[in-house]
């Protein structure tokens, strides 16, 4: 089965980390986010993935030199200009010649969803489109649905979607069930998307499918995170240490990192090539490849790609690749370098 994976966003909410590395290539537990996603699609029966890109494919070619990720074949569709989610799906499907039931995934979603179960629910319902749903406490930052006819199917509750609202104002959400960013589509969906211009799957196509009565959802209770915002990107990493993920886990410290035995690390991931000096305390933090934490520095709940010099204190901060926290400085609830 084919899948289109949407990876053409600019990763704005993860700046400055995404200034050097596109969002899907950022590591989650030492492995690029996109690679974890493709491997999961592969476990669910996907054989061919087309990456829908809005920018240069070079970093992806480097990650998948033989155009394969495990057993999955990887190809690319590079949009001449960003076409938004539906425009990108249409462009990628045309490029790859997709003409049967296929999967679509947002490239920043980390989940334990069994894609095979979503495909099965889609077939049972005879749907044109079936989307994965997750219940969350604050649905307003997502696409929110109203689901009817909920019946047990493939480890979740399946039903017709009666309403789809993208990012409703807080307090106006029709339910707490959100679009979890994995879809199964019939090729008929592609005919609803005009070619060659910006079209949003969430704002244009889903409301049209709801109107046609052919859109279904499968609500599950799987682990699920949209890793496209800093706190959740950090959580997506640290959750791999907890042993709670069904198929995924990781080591806290990369074998290629240099961590002084006099450093104290708690619930922290240290990437390849990172350096942690003596006397430091690092808690609930992801130190990305190339990150540096100098002697006696204290770092908590942060993402560090750049340098934290000796005796500095860093709390709930993002230090980009070019970022330097000077010796003895304090940084809290901020990004370095500062964002415009
Ligand atoms: N190729 C391409 N071209 N990809 C794009 C474009 C584009 O023009 N615009 C966005 N994308 C990709 C992003 O890279 C991301 O993988 C995916 O489409 C979704 O975009 P986000 O920017 O991450 O959207 P969001 O997180 O605000 O909301 C989406 O995901 C939520 C679940 O995580 C929506 O689908 C919501 O309805 C959903 O609840
Ligand atoms: Mg997102």
């Amino acid at each position: 089965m084919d899948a289109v994976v949407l990876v053409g966003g600019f990763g704005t909410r993860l700046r400055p980390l995404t200034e050097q590395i596109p969002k899907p290539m950022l590591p989650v537990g030492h492995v690029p986010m996109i690679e974890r996603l493709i491997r999961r699609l592969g476990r669910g029966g996907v054989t061919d993935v087309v990456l829908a890109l809005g920018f240069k494919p070079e970093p992806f070619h480097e990650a998948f030199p033989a155009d394969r990720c495990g057993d999955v074949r990887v190809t690319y569709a590079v949009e001449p200009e960003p076409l938004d989610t539906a425009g990108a799906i249409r462009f990628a499907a045309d490029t790859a010649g997709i003409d049967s039931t296929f999967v679509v995934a947002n490239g920043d979603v980390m989940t334990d969803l069994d894609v095979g179960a979503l495909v099965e629910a889609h077939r049972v319902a005879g749907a044109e489109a079936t989307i994965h749903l997750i219940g969350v406490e604050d649905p307003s930052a997502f696409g929110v649905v109203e689901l009817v006819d909920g019946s047990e199917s493939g480890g979740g509750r399946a039903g017709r979607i009666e309403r789809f609202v993208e990012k409703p104002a807080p307090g106006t959400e029709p339910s707490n069930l959100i679009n979890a960013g994995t879809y199964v589509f019939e090729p008929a969906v592609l005919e609803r998307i005009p070619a060659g211009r910006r079209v949003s799957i969430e704002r244009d196509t889903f409301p049209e499918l709801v109107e046609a009565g052919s859109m279904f959802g499968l609500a599950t209770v799987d682990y699920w995170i949209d890793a496209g915002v800093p706190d959740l990107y950090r959580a997506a990493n640290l959750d791999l240490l907890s042993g709670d993920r069904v198929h995924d886990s990781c080591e806290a410290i990369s074998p290629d990192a240099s961590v002084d035995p006099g450093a104290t690390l708690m619930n922290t991931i240290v990437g390849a090539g990172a350096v942690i000096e003596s006397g430091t305390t690092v808690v609930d933090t992801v130190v990305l490849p190339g990150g540096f934490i100098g002697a006696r520095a204290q770092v908590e709940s942060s993402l560090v790609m750049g340098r934290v010099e000796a005796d500095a204190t860093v709390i709930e901060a993002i230090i980009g690749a070019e970022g330097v926290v000077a010796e003895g400085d304090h940084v809290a609830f901020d990004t370095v370098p500062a964002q415009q």
Side-chain angles (χ1 to χ4, degrees), residues 292 306-309 312 314 319-327 329 331 336-337:
F292 171 85
R307 294 183 68 86
V308 175
E309 301 292 351
V314 172
I319 315 301
E322 311 278 297
V324 180
V325 179
E327 193 171 329
D329 260 12
V331 171
V336 180

Side-chain angles (χ1 to χ4, degrees), residues 5 7 24-25 32-39 51 60 64 107:
V5 179
V7 282
M25 294 305 299
M33 203 184 297
I34 184 70
E35 189 172 327
R36 289 197 182 267
L37 192 151
I38 295 175
R39 286 182 187 276
L51 295 179
F60 298 90
F64 309 119

Side-chain angles (χ1 to χ4, degrees), residues 13 23 106-109 141-142 167 224-229:
R13 290 166 291 183
K23 174 165 79 171
N106 283 351
D108 54 10
V109 165
F142 302 100
K167 307 203 171 94
W224 183 88
I225 265 186
D226 178 338
V229 295

Side-chain angles (χ1 to χ4, degrees), residues 112-178:
D112 287 337
L113 167 75
D114 171 4
V115 174
L118 189 67
V119 173
E120 180 59 20
H122 175 81
R123 295 230 156 95
V124 168
E128 184 176 344
T130 303
I131 73 171
H132 178 217
L133 305 171
I134 283 280
V136 299
E137 251 167 54
D138 176 13
S140 65
F142 302 100
V144 189
V145 306
E146 201 175 308
L147 185 72
V148 293
D149 306 328
S151 61
E152 293 306 308
S153 168
R157 192 163 60 86
R160 190 188 304 275
I161 292 176
E162 289 259 295
R163 228 179 121 202
F164 186 98
V165 205
E166 182 66 10
K167 307 203 171 94
T172 69
E173 306 94 341
S175 78
N176 72 339
L177 280 182
I178 62 147

Side-chain angles (χ1 to χ4, degrees), residues 40 110-115 117-118 132-136 154-156 180 218-225 244-247:
R40 185 174 55 82
M110 295 287 104
T111 176
D112 287 337
L113 167 75
D114 171 4
V115 174
L118 189 67
H132 178 217
L133 305 171
I134 283 280
V136 299
L218 176 70
T220 74
V221 292
D222 293 302
Y223 174 90
W224 183 88
I225 265 186
D244 289 345
R245 299 291 309 276
V246 176
H247 294 284

